[in-house]
């Protein structure tokens, strides 16, 4: 009862499967307390990177899941009237970040990527936790990182 392929992927810690299922519109029904069932399962099972990604991608449209989309799937979504400007960050904003930063850029981190917090002097309790990049600014080398269970994203360099 209520067991979905996405919930099973979260239970087993399969981040790439969760991304793929989400790119096909897997439903995540938020509850008033504690996030979605998938987020709670991932947290409970110790899959911090998956839980953080689920929080960061909450409310995304299938088109916003760029890392999991094939060219054919992206074209099909766009032909089916998917809006590249919908959501926050939009699929277009995510594509710009993914395409504009080369591997030679030491600050390169794509929005949606999981990162581990290290050496955070102002909040040492955050060190060792895994979050997801939710915003990035290459010119200032600052990133917004959302951690599961935190109300606001952290602003990091």
């Amino acid at each position: 009862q209520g067991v979905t392929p996405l919930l099973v992927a979260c239970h087993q810690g399969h981040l790439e499967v969760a991304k793929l299922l989400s790119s096909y519109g897997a439903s995540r029904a938020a509850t008033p307390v504690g996030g979605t069932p998938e987020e709670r399962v991932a947290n409970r099972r110790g899959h911090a990177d998956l839980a953080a990604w689920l929080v960061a991608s909450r409310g995304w449209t299938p088109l916003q899941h760029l890392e999991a989309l094939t060219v054919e799937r992206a074209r099909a979504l766009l032909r089916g009237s998917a809006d590249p400007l919908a959501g926050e960050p939009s699929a277009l904003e995510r594509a710009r970040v993914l395409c504009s930063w080369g591997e030679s850029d030491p600050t390169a981190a794509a929005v949606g990527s999981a990162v581990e917090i290290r050496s955070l002097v102002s909040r040492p309790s955050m060190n060792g936790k895994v979050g997801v990049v939710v915003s990035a600014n290459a010119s200032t080398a600052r990133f917004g990182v959302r951690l599961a269970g935190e109300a606001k994203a952290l602003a990091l360099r």
Side-chain angles (χ1 to χ4, degrees):
Q1 290 185 5
V3 177
T4 65
L6 182 59
L7 193 61
V8 172
C10 293
H11 184 268
Q12 296 178 359
H14 296 297
L15 176 58
E16 295 307 314
V17 173
K19 286 180 178 182
L20 181 65
L21 292 168
S22 294
S23 77
Y24 279 89
S27 178
R28 291 189 247 166
T31 58
V33 179
T36 68
E38 295 81 10
E39 292 165 16
R40 289 193 304 273
V41 165
N43 270 321
R44 206 173 311 126
R45 301 283 297 174
H47 308 301
D49 56 340
L50 176 54
W53 180 84
L54 288 165
V55 169
S57 65
R58 196 184 290 159
W60 282 7
T61 66
L63 190 58
Q64 289 169 288
H65 295 278
L66 298 174
E67 297 85 352
L69 292 179
T70 63
V71 172
E72 295 80 19
R73 175 80 175 127
R75 283 184 184 142
L77 288 168
L78 290 167
R79 284 185 187 126
S81 300
D83 183 359
L85 301 176
E88 183 61 39
S90 72
L92 187 57
E93 289 168 2
R94 295 201 67 236
R96 283 186 183 134
V97 170
L98 290 169
C99 294
S100 68
W101 290 350
E103 291 181 24
S104 62
D105 183 348
T107 64
V111 173
S113 297
V115 294
E116 182 179 351
I117 307 298
R118 297 183 190 168
S119 305
L120 188 59
V121 176
S122 63
R123 294 183 67 192
S125 63
M126 296 291 162
N127 293 330
K129 292 190 176 186
V130 176
V132 173
V133 177
V134 293
S135 64
N137 185 323
S139 63
T140 63
R142 294 185 71 80
F143 302 96
V145 177
R146 182 168 307 280
L147 298 170
E150 292 293 313
K152 290 182 162 186
L154 298 172
L156 303 175
R157 284 185 184 251

